[in-house]
Structures are given as structure tokens and as C-alpha cells.
Amino acid sequence: MIKKKQLIEKLYNALDSEEEANNQFYDYTIKSLKYYKWLSEDKKEKVQNIVSKLKDDTQRHKNVIEKLIQDVEESEKDVF
């Protein structure tokens, strides 16, 4: 069992991680591909597609976490 306040804190930490991955890692990686002269265009495209898929998955995770935070904050329960 976990107290409401602790759960909300953990969910916000998870949300921060998802946002950081989306805003920094994925965007940076996609933008950096143009500088990888040693990588063929078809491989760059494959990497971009994979990273874009990961970015989309991360956005879905972020949405789920935001919904969980909302549900927990609105809940009458103090222990989960």
C-alpha cells in the first residue's frame, strides 16, 4: 500500500521522465541524424521511423500518467 501523496509524487516523477525523453532525447536524436554523414539515407530513415515510434509511445505513456494523476488527486482514498 502507498499513501496518496507518495503515489502522486512518484507519478509526477514518471511524468517528468516521459517529458524529458520526449523533449530532449527523441527530438535531439531526430535532428542530429542529418549530421551523420557515415549513415546511409535509408538507414537514417529507418532510425528516424523507430525514434518517431518511440516518441509517440512516450507521448501515450505521458497521457496515461496524466490521467492517473488526475484520478488519484480526485480520489477520496488516501491509500492505494
Side-chain angles (χ1 to χ4, degrees), residues 26 44-55:
Y26 299 129
K44 285 181 187 179
E45 186 176 330
K46 285 181 183 179
V47 171
Q48 183 171 349
N49 289 339
I50 291 168
V51 172
S52 293
K53 171 79 169 105
L54 289 171
K55 183 177 179 178

Side-chain angles (χ1 to χ4, degrees), residues 6-69:
Q6 293 169 318
L7 178 56
I8 290 171
E9 183 178 308
K10 289 185 182 297
L11 289 171
Y12 273 111
N13 288 338
L15 184 62
D16 288 344
S17 295
E18 296 291 342
E19 287 177 343
E20 185 175 337
N22 238 2
N23 294 335
Q24 293 184 16
F25 176 73
Y26 299 129
D27 288 341
Y28 172 79
T29 302
I30 291 171
K31 290 175 185 174
S32 296
L33 286 173
K34 64 183 171 190
Y35 300 108
Y36 298 167
K37 304 295 184 199
W38 48 269
L39 199 59
S40 67
E41 289 302 318
D42 64 322
K43 290 191 179 183
K44 285 181 187 179
E45 186 176 330
K46 285 181 183 179
V47 171
Q48 183 171 349
N49 289 339
I50 291 168
V51 172
S52 293
K53 171 79 169 105
L54 289 171
K55 183 177 179 178
D56 292 344
D57 289 347
T58 300
Q59 184 60 47
R60 280 194 293 280
H61 297 161
K62 181 180 171 224
N63 293 342
V64 168
I65 294 169
E66 287 172 337
K67 176 72 171 115
L68 282 170
I69 290 170

